[in-house]
Amino acid sequence: GEDVEQSLFLSVREGDSSVINCTYTDSSSTYLYWYKQEPGAGLQLLTYIFSNMDMKQDQRLTVLLNKKDKHLSLRIADTQTGDSAIYFCAERWNSGAGSYQLTFGKGTKLSVIP
Amino acid sequence: DTEVTQTPKHLVMGMTNKKSLKCEQHMGHRAMYWYKQKAKKPPELMFVYSYEKLSINESVPSRFSPECPNSSLLNLHLHALQPEDSALYLCASSQDHGQENTEAFFGQGTRLTVV
């Protein structure tokens, strides 16, 4: 749970698909999460995936997990202007003594061009 | 109901003031968290309460004092803060801090400005 990396910016046209990528380092990570944060707001949990899955789909959102490469992606289909926000990848890892913590990436700012 | 409610939404305080941030959830979650988020940065964990007991303190200065009066409430008492403590303070809760498969839900945050 030491390091989660994300690209900082992504710009797409309305209606196109967005793909936000994330890499993590802790092979013992059990759950990986995607959060959305709009300006001045808190974090909204979008979706999560368990480490023994390789794909999860939820309406316009598709999460892909490559556990071997420790690579996670979030695909947003038919991206809308309301999807403009910062997207954080987070890994849940065992911090010892029966407790778990979240480590966040730096966030990817998604800008949707009308 | 997956709501975590934080009050106030905005707070401006002087360096000699004492104030408190409040957080409430009614999802029956037994783990509650305080995070600090500076502009353009990810959230950083400050404290974790598990079953109303402080289980993690990430070396936070004593001018921040958490309190968990009951399983639904979490406070953060502030005293003698510095301007660099200005940030968005986020509260979160999850069903159990010691379980693998648990989602963490965040509140909307308190935007704190120390003058």
Side-chain angles (χ1 to χ4, degrees):
Chain A
E2 296 296 322
D3 204 12
V4 178
E5 296 286 339
Q6 296 179 243
S7 51
L8 295 181
F9 302 98
L10 177 65
S11 183
V12 298
R13 293 203 173 276
E14 191 174 15
D16 288 350
S17 292
S18 309
V19 179
I20 303 171
N21 295 301
C22 169
T23 56
Y24 60 98
T25 55
D26 194 326
S27 58
S28 67
S29 293
T30 53
Y31 282 81
L32 296 137
Y33 300 82
W34 285 104
Y35 285 89
K36 175 184 180 183
Q37 187 174 36
E38 297 184 53
L43 274 69
Q44 176 194 352
L45 177 63
L46 287 179
T47 187
Y48 64 91
I49 189 166
F50 186 43
S51 58
N52 71 351
M53 299 168 65
D54 51 20
M55 187 181 94
K56 181 179 180 182
Q57 187 152 6
D58 184 1
Q59 299 182 333
R60 292 192 297 123
L61 304 179
T62 302
V63 180
L64 295 178
L65 175 61
N66 181 328
K67 195 173 178 183
K68 175 174 165 289
D69 294 338
K70 299 190 187 69
H71 181 266
L72 181 74
S73 68
L74 174 69
R75 178 176 179 270
I76 305 173
D78 187 26
T79 312
Q80 303 297 305
T81 53
D83 295 324
S84 293
I86 297 177
Y87 290 79
F88 289 98
C89 165
E91 62 168 338
R92 185 167 175 81
W93 53 282
N94 189 336
S95 57
S99 63
Y100 291 83
Q101 290 194 48
L102 280 180
T103 296
F104 288 87
K106 289 183 168 57
T108 299
K109 184 175 181 180
L110 174 64
S111 300
V112 181
I113 305 162
Chain B
D1 177 15
T2 57
E3 194 168 327
V4 177
T5 305
Q6 289 187 243
T7 55
K9 287 189 170 34
H10 300 274
L11 178 63
V12 179
M13 62 185 288
M15 289 189 283
T16 58
N17 291 159
K18 282 186 184 180
K19 295 286 184 184
S20 297
L21 309 185
K22 296 187 183 303
C23 175
E24 191 168 355
Q25 57 85 16
H26 296 287
M27 295 178 274
H29 288 173
R30 301 315 299 268
M32 295 185 78
Y33 311 77
W34 281 115
Y35 284 82
K36 174 181 176 180
Q37 187 180 25
K38 300 283 278 183
K40 298 185 179 11
K41 299 286 187 187
E44 295 177 352
L45 183 65
M46 299 174 74
F47 301 105
V48 180
Y49 271 83
S50 184
Y51 291 83
E52 297 150 58
K53 288 186 169 39
L54 182 65
S55 65
I56 293 179
N57 175 342
E58 291 285 355
S59 304
V60 180
S62 59
R63 56 186 185 269
F64 295 92
S65 174
E67 178 199 15
C68 189
N70 60 54
S71 60
S72 300
L73 295 174
L74 184 67
N75 299 322
L76 186 62
H77 303 298
L78 314 171
H79 173 54
L81 294 196
Q82 303 296 311
E84 59 264 29
D85 296 321
S86 298
L88 181 68
Y89 287 84
L90 292 163
C91 174
S93 73
S94 65
Q95 189 167 3
D96 190 314
H97 184 53
Q99 280 185 8
E100 292 185 272
N101 55 333
T102 179
E103 303 153 292
F105 295 96
F106 283 78
Q108 291 297 301
T110 294
R111 175 75 58 192
L112 175 67
T113 303
V114 182
V115 297

